Amino acid sequence: MVKVTVCGAAGGIGQPLSLLLKLNPKIDELALFDVVNVPGVGADLSHICSNSTTSSHLPSAKEDKTALADSLKNSDLVIIPAGVPRKPGMTRDDLFNINASIVQGLAQGIAETCPDAFVLIISNPVNSTVPIVAETLKKNNVFNPKKLFGVTTLDIVRANTFISQLFPKESKPTDFNINVIGGHSGETIVPLYSLGNSKQYLDKLSEEQQKELIHRVQFGGDEVVQAKNGAGSATLSMAYAGYKLAESILKALDTPNVVECTFLNLDSSIKGASEAKKLVGNLDFFSLPVKLGKSGIEEVQYEILDKISDNEKKLLEVAVDQLSKNIEKGVSFVKK
Ligand code: NAI
């Protein structure tokens, strides 16, 4: 029996993400939590004739903790797209003040109710919200680094699409699975086009075109924020990306060799994490490809860092510098 909980289920990401989860035959129970509108979303989804049951959980007042606890009870996997999205001109870091406490509150609920669940963080700034969740779980003595995932999958989705758009006659987006490492905002996002089957296409681009492609992946979210013109950021592509990571985590429960990139805590209990940490300026959190298994993250594929191009090494240096500040901001938010 698999139970999945979505916190922020009535939002722009939460609704399409819940729809995709509702269709997954591996999920038996889908619990939706939000502070607004969630009974309607739940009633709507509950009419779909898929395998899972649907429940909705809305707090009756600000102090009401039972709705969250009910949604999380016996949950195996919790996905968090709760919080506010960007408006034009905002960076992800501008969201910190509001989203940090929302995420901390939800992490506290997880610590108290379902500490063994896989936890996937979508709420921005991911570079800081993931450390907030880790610190909150640590404070409660229930932190398992193998089960905490910062969702950076949308960067991979964009990287695959954007290179294919440059070679429409020779390729499809589904031909690619670009590793995107680092973090999830602007220059902390480092797409590794020099590896695998994308290299042959990268080599056909001028230096200027390569720069533009990488910049487009790093700042692709801005295209959506501008096009939505004040009505939020990526929701549909994000729901697809968040679902893809959740689907892989569930698949890895009974299938070997499932690999995904995720922003993780480089804790020494994870195979390859200490080696990775040394190669990324001793950062505690970083996005890298990881091998998934029954118990979550089984192995960090740090070897990839030895294979990257000189240009990617330079991008990595910039990413490491910015990430250390983002991570520290999240950690000290909880410690204070
Ligand atoms: P939205 O405003 O449409 O939805 C957010 C939902 O969270 C709302 O329904 C709201 O009521 C709910 N919420 C607020 N406080 C809550 C709480 N304490 N508990 C439960 N639910 C709560 O926003 P949208 O577009 O769905 O974005 C959500 C977050 O995802 C934002 O922080 C955004 O920046 C982030 N995001 C992350 C991406 C990534 O690649 N990781 C990509 C795109 C967005």
Side-chain angles (χ1 to χ4, degrees):
M1 294 293 281
V2 174
K3 175 175 174 180
V4 174
T5 305
V6 181
C7 296
I13 296 168
Q15 291 199 38
L17 174 62
S18 301
L19 172 61
L20 294 170
L21 293 164
K22 177 74 182 165
L23 304 180
N24 185 313
K26 283 201 166 139
I27 299 172
D28 303 285
E29 196 180 342
L30 180 62
L32 311 176
F33 176 78
D34 203 304
V35 292
V36 295
N37 301 339
V38 75
V41 176
D44 194 353
L45 281 179
S46 73
H47 289 187
I48 295 175
C49 53
S50 63
N51 283 351
S52 51
T53 59
T54 313
S55 60
S56 316
H57 307 268
L58 177 75
S60 53
K62 224 177 170 195
E63 317 72 51
D64 173 15
K65 298 260 188 302
T66 50
L68 177 62
D70 288 346
S71 76
L72 295 173
K73 197 173 171 203
N74 298 323
S75 197
D76 301 291
L77 190 147
V78 182
I79 313 184
I80 304 187
V84 289
R86 286 189 293 158
K87 295 212 159 66
M90 285 172 95
T91 66
R92 292 179 181 86
D93 199 43
D94 293 332
L95 303 172
F96 185 90
N97 290 341
I98 303 171
N99 289 354
S101 358
I102 293 177
V103 168
Q104 188 186 24
L106 295 169
Q108 184 60 34
I110 292 168
E112 289 165 14
T113 315
C114 57
D116 291 331
F118 296 103
V119 181
L120 280 63
I121 308 299
I122 293 174
S123 312
N124 270 318
V126 165
N127 297 352
S128 306
T129 52
V130 174
I132 287 175
V133 175
E135 285 303 315
T136 308
L137 297 175
K138 270 187 207 163
K139 250 192 180 170
N140 289 273
N141 297 316
V142 293
F143 180 47
N144 179 353
K146 295 181 180 169
K147 289 194 159 182
L148 176 61
F149 302 79
V151 183
T152 57
T153 321
L154 183 54
D155 303 322
I156 291 116
V157 166
R158 286 183 179 137
N160 297 342
T161 304
F162 295 167
I163 189 156
S164 166
Q165 285 175 348
L166 295 176
F167 299 95
K169 291 200 182 107
E170 298 143 88
S171 74
K172 306 185 289 299
T174 48
D175 292 344
F176 301 104
N177 185 18
I178 311 293
N179 287 291
V180 182
I181 65 170
H184 174 68
S185 76
E187 289 175 324
T188 68
I189 299 170
V190 181
L192 303 179
Y193 281 118
S194 77
L195 305 178
N197 66 342
S198 50
K199 183 170 182 345
Q200 55 177 311
Y201 296 102
L202 187 72
D203 288 346
K204 289 183 193 168
L205 299 175
S206 67
E207 208 174 301
E208 202 44 45
Q209 286 171 318
Q210 292 188 9
K211 254 194 197 157
E212 277 169 19
L213 173 63
I214 291 165
H215 186 272
R216 192 172 178 213
V217 176
Q218 292 181 321
F219 294 90
D222 294 356
E223 291 179 19
V224 183
V225 172
Q226 276 151 21
K228 290 197 175 177
N229 198 19
S233 58
T235 54
L236 302 173
S237 51
M238 180 59 239
Y240 166 75
Y243 175 74
K244 193 172 171 291
L245 181 62
E247 186 186 37
S248 289
I249 292 168
L250 295 178
K251 186 174 167 200
L253 296 175
D254 53 29
T255 313
N257 298 321
V258 179
V259 174
E260 289 283 351
C261 286
T262 188
F263 188 68
L264 80 154
N265 181 224
L266 294 172
D267 186 85
S268 58
S269 64
I270 304 174
K271 195 173 168 198
S274 304
E275 288 86 345
K277 200 171 160 170
K278 277 184 215 146
L279 296 166
V280 298
N282 220 26
L283 290 179
D284 287 326
F285 293 84
F286 205 79
S287 184
L288 281 167
V290 300
K291 200 165 110 194
L292 300 169
K294 267 196 183 59
S295 50
I297 299 169
E298 282 188 341
E299 195 179 331
V300 181
Q301 298 191 330
Y302 69 92
E303 299 88 348
I304 200 170
L305 293 165
D306 290 330
K307 299 179 190 148
I308 65 178
S309 69
D310 288 344
N311 183 46
E312 287 161 355
K313 279 184 191 148
K314 281 188 208 141
L315 295 172
L316 205 67
E317 269 175 37
V318 178
V320 165
D321 185 49
Q322 292 193 15
L323 265 172
S324 68
K325 294 171 200 142
N326 299 158
I327 294 166
E328 175 50 31
K329 196 169 174 181
V331 170
S332 59
F333 176 79
V334 179
K335 288 203 167 145
K336 266 185 219 154

